Amino acid sequence: MTETMYIGSGDVAALMAGKNTKAHISLMQRFVSGVKPHYNAKASPIDALRTGSILEDRYLASLPMWFIPQYVVYSDEMDVFKASLDFAEIKDGKLFDFRELKTLYLNDYVDNIQPIKGDNEKLVAYVKKSHKKYYEQVQEQLYCTRLDSCYMVFLCVNNYDDEINYHRVITDDDVTLIRIHRDERVISKIKERGVIFQQIKDCYDIQPRQSA
């Protein structure tokens, strides 16, 4: 059962949703189910999920070799929290920085990101206003990693043709990097919501998992 007792980066939106919402109830059901979910985003019939997974691989190909994909870290304060980092930058054997990749379709990217590219303050304000769940997810990751900041990367999606995307070469023109700093107010809310999950986990797990 304890294998499913974690709050991952992708669970933060459900965690922060109203406690009577389907998303939050579904999270609790999965948490205590003992049935570990298995996802294959590349086989998803949902274009956005499938394309996002393909383009994660293509973006990794554009990064230096010291970036590690899907690097997992557990909070050393509340080990119910687990962060899967899209791209972890490792230096001298330690986590130095990380990047969280998000895809935006062409129209959204051109209308909302391109005009303010390079202005980090405006980009952060845009994320807070239009992509609150992304902002909260990154705060959970910063909490788990104990880092002060990280990059959120918006990647422009030109189409949903798998064959084209599998061979796409990602350039600097295709992406916008946003430096996100720790927001202790948001982290406190995430921790508060996680208390009941930590209490349940502690009842069943006498040997809490350690950070990677």
Side-chain angles (χ1 to χ4, degrees):
M1 178 182 287
T2 56
E3 287 188 356
T4 63
M5 289 185 173
Y6 64 86
I7 304 296
S9 305
D11 298 320
V12 175
L15 176 71
M16 301 303 286
K19 294 181 180 179
N20 292 322
T21 63
K22 290 182 179 179
H24 193 88
I25 293 171
S26 178
L27 171 60
M28 180 60 79
Q29 290 172 335
R30 189 274 295 166
F31 188 83
V32 299
S33 69
V35 180
K36 195 170 183 177
H38 296 281
Y39 304 106
N40 183 4
K42 288 187 176 67
S44 174
I46 301 173
D47 287 342
L49 292 179
R50 190 179 66 255
T51 298
S53 180
I54 294 170
L55 292 180
E56 277 192 13
D57 290 344
R58 300 310 302 150
Y59 184 64
L60 176 63
S62 74
L63 295 175
M65 62 181 295
W66 54 82
F67 279 87
I68 298 177
Q70 300 305 313
Y71 187 84
V72 176
V73 179
Y74 287 83
S75 167
D76 57 4
E77 180 185 18
M78 295 177 66
D79 69 341
V80 73
F81 285 107
K82 167 186 173 182
S84 296
L85 312 178
D86 282 347
F87 309 101
E89 185 175 3
I90 306 298
K91 289 187 177 181
D92 298 325
K94 296 181 180 180
L95 178 64
F96 175 77
D97 202 350
F98 68 90
R99 300 184 184 190
E100 178 67 21
L101 184 68
K102 302 298 181 186
T103 54
L104 280 182
Y105 196 62
L106 181 62
N107 289 346
D108 288 335
Y109 190 88
V110 170
D111 292 344
N112 299 308
I113 298 295
Q114 195 66 41
I116 56 176
K117 186 171 183 175
D119 189 328
N120 199 73
E121 185 175 346
K122 289 184 178 179
L123 287 165
V124 171
Y126 165 75
V127 173
K128 288 182 177 180
K129 179 180 179 181
S130 301
H131 297 285
K132 181 181 178 182
K133 65 180 182 179
Y134 293 166
Y135 185 76
E136 292 176 337
Q137 176 186 352
V138 167
Q139 292 304 323
E140 188 262 359
Q141 293 169 325
L142 288 171
Y143 170 61
C144 289
T145 60
R146 304 178 298 281
L147 295 177
D148 291 327
S149 63
C150 68
Y151 281 113
M152 181 178 292
V153 182
F154 278 110
L155 169 61
C156 179
V157 177
N158 300 319
N159 61 71
Y160 291 123
D161 186 308
D162 290 357
E163 187 62 25
I164 291 175
N165 287 324
Y166 270 119
H167 295 90
R168 182 176 171 185
V169 176
I170 306 297
T171 68
D172 289 343
D173 290 336
D174 300 322
V175 298
T176 295
L177 274 64
I178 308 169
R179 196 68 185 174
I180 305 290
H181 292 271
R182 285 179 72 97
D183 187 329
E184 296 297 345
R185 181 184 62 83
V186 173
I187 289 174
S188 292
K189 289 183 178 180
I190 292 171
K191 290 165 57 178
E192 181 181 331
R193 283 295 187 93
V195 167
I196 183 61
F197 292 89
Q198 183 69 58
Q199 290 173 338
I200 295 171
K201 182 177 186 298
D202 288 344
C203 286
Y204 290 91
D205 187 3
I206 60 173
Q207 294 181 326
R209 303 186 66 167
Q210 300 298 313
S211 296

